Amino acid sequence: MKQRIQKIIASAGLASRRQAEKWIEEGRVRINGCLATLGDSADPDNDRIEVDGKPIEVESEKYCILLHKPVGYVTTAKDPQGRPVVVDLVQNLPVRLYPVGRLDLNTSGLLLLTNDGDLAQHLAHPRHGVEKTYLARVRGAVSPQTVQQLASGVKLEDGLTAPARVEVTRQQGTNSWVKITIREGRNRQVRRMFEALGHAVSRLQRIEFGFLTLENLAPGQYRRLSKAEVARLKQL
């Protein structure tokens, strides 16, 4: 059955549909040896589809993995600097998986990986605003005024952040533990929000993604989401 090229690439788990469209525009995609153009369709069972000269394989079975990302891993499939990457932690699975969004090198916690390009695009799209909750250890005592600023929005170099839910859970010596829930996905957003208000983050962990939690997974451990959980994710 013929499908749009960008959908086939997404189904293969190589990229989101939007990224696949960009690859087509850049001339990186071929169908049976001919350059693909936006709007082209193909039959993945009968046509040869290549990205950067390499034939793609459409994975029929979809996987969505919940991983407890440890500190020190890069949230990419490959790293030119040779640092450990999160896909190394799930390399024994029979499909190629790609991270949904990012956690920076020094942030641990809940990370989803999937070979379902449509699901990844849905979860990463700003329009859907999936809630993500973090637990941060920051330097200094966090005042009620700072909590209010975090909750109402912090002015960063890329604009004012959206409202957040914030709770100081405990004080520990000269540090504060703060739980913060955001709907955006800007680069290093939580760290930058605290830093803008004078609180350096010494530890950061994502503890929830939508309705999902880390449960009892240790760093480096993962589990496959059930079909019911994937269906709930698609409704977020």
Side-chain angles (χ1 to χ4, degrees):
M1 179 186 296
K2 287 200 170 186
Q3 305 174 44
R4 289 291 179 92
I5 294 299
Q6 56 265 41
K7 182 176 181 180
I8 296 173
I9 293 173
S11 297
L14 298 180
S16 68
R17 289 195 193 187
R18 182 175 297 180
Q19 183 63 49
E21 289 172 354
K22 185 177 179 182
W23 289 353
I24 294 169
E25 291 175 338
E26 293 171 346
R28 297 171 58 184
V29 182
R30 290 179 176 270
I31 306 170
N32 299 325
C34 300
L35 275 178
T37 60
L38 284 177
D40 281 351
S41 297
D43 184 342
D45 294 324
N46 297 308
D47 293 316
R48 181 180 176 86
I49 303 162
E50 300 173 326
V51 176
D52 295 333
K54 298 179 180 179
I56 69 171
E57 298 177 3
V58 178
E59 312 284 3
S60 57
E61 186 176 5
K62 302 301 182 187
Y63 278 71
C64 189
I65 299 299
L66 190 161
L67 168 73
H68 185 162
K69 174 194 172 296
V71 169
Y73 279 76
V74 183
T75 311
T76 56
K78 295 181 181 179
D79 182 63
Q81 299 180 40
R83 295 171 296 183
V85 293
V86 292
V87 296
D88 291 341
L89 298 169
V90 294
Q91 61 183 349
N92 61 324
L93 293 173
V95 291
R96 293 172 295 178
L97 299 174
Y98 297 87
V100 177
R102 291 177 180 270
L103 292 177
D104 65 45
L105 182 71
N106 295 316
T107 298
S108 64
L110 198 160
L111 180 70
L112 297 180
L113 300 98
T114 185
N115 64 336
D116 186 336
D118 288 340
L119 176 63
Q121 182 178 10
H122 174 82
L123 294 175
H125 200 289
R127 180 178 72 245
H128 300 299
V130 179
E131 288 191 342
K132 297 165 281 286
T133 301
Y134 297 80
L135 185 61
R137 184 179 67 190
V138 303
R139 304 199 186 282
V142 177
S143 68
Q145 292 77 16
T146 297
V147 170
Q148 181 57 42
Q149 282 181 282
L150 290 165
S152 58
V154 179
K155 188 174 182 180
L156 303 177
E157 62 271 18
D158 52 355
L160 186 70
T161 61
R165 294 202 310 275
V166 185
E167 176 190 358
V168 178
T169 60
R170 62 189 169 108
Q171 299 286 148
Q172 186 181 46
T174 59
N175 296 315
S176 300
W177 288 86
V178 184
K179 190 159 90 169
I180 179 169
T181 300
I182 62 174
R183 288 180 174 272
E184 297 177 290
R186 305 188 201 183
N187 183 42
R188 300 183 69 253
Q189 179 175 337
V190 172
R191 291 182 184 275
R192 291 191 293 136
M193 289 172 70
F194 280 106
E195 289 167 1
L197 300 178
H199 295 280
V201 176
S202 57
R203 181 177 174 183
L204 186 63
Q205 181 183 47
R206 184 195 281 169
I207 57 175
E208 297 176 12
F209 186 98
F211 62 90
L212 297 170
T213 66
L214 282 173
E215 300 171 353
N216 296 316
L217 290 178
Q221 291 185 334
Y222 64 87
R223 70 174 181 86
R224 185 176 180 181
L225 297 189
S226 67
K227 291 182 178 180
E229 288 173 318
V230 173
R232 284 187 68 186
L233 284 176
K234 291 180 177 180
Q235 294 172 357
L236 291 178

